[in-house]
Amino acid sequence: MKLIVAVIQDKDSGRLSDALVEHDFQATKLASTGGFLKSGNTTFLIGVKDEEVTPVLEVIKENCKSREQLVAPISPMGGNADSYVPYPVEVQVGGATVFIMPVDQFEKF
Ligand code: 2BA
């Protein structure tokens, strides 16, 4: 068994939830925050059999889009003036950042 941890953009979370249910995959959605942008994203925990990893990755790929996002200027207040960026910077936020981990034991009570 594997645990798939997928960090995705909030905009895709409803569609991904629906698609996982449609394909009979069970998932838990957690509200999370990106360390760099400090804005909300969504983390899915999906427990699956080894042979289900590939189909779940396909569902994630089909439902999560990569987008450009503007990062607000970083304030010099309390920081180093050398690192001050006075203009917004555009970053590419991935459709999904996915970790796949082995599960030693799985129980439901
Ligand atoms: P954030 O940390 O808010 O990062 C959003 C996007 O900003 C990243 O997209 C990346 O394009 C850019 N970025 C991040 N750190 C950067 C830096 N030090 N310098 C320049 N640009 C930077 P993604 O790589 O697609 O990541 C989307 C979200 O996935 C991240 O949101 C974070 O919540 C999660 N994530 C990505 N890599 C991770 C990792 N190795 N471990 C845990 N979470 C991760």
Side-chain angles (χ1 to χ4, degrees), residues 2-102:
K2 296 277 193 286
L3 178 65
I4 300 175
V5 177
V7 184
I8 66 147
Q9 295 179 50
D10 287 344
K11 284 177 184 164
D12 297 322
S13 71
R15 198 174 46 231
L16 179 58
S17 278
D18 292 347
L20 288 169
V21 170
E22 209 174 286
H23 288 83
D24 263 339
F25 295 124
Q26 290 200 36
T28 297
K29 248 169 86 172
L30 306 174
S32 46
T33 304
F36 184 68
L37 294 178
K38 296 179 178 58
S39 63
N41 52 28
T42 303
T43 299
F44 278 78
L45 304 181
I46 311 163
V48 291
K49 295 180 192 140
D50 287 9
E51 61 272 22
E52 291 174 330
V53 169
T54 305
V56 167
L57 292 180
E58 283 304 316
V59 173
I60 295 172
K61 268 190 226 166
E62 278 167 20
N63 290 280
C64 300
K65 278 194 286 182
S66 175
R67 297 181 183 88
E68 301 285 338
Q69 200 161 317
L70 280 179
V71 184
I74 297 161
S75 162
M77 299 290 287
N80 181 351
D82 293 342
S83 62
Y84 175 51
V85 183
Y87 46 83
V89 178
E90 208 165 49
V91 291
Q92 175 90 8
V93 183
T97 299
V98 182
F99 305 87
I100 299 164
M101 289 169 283

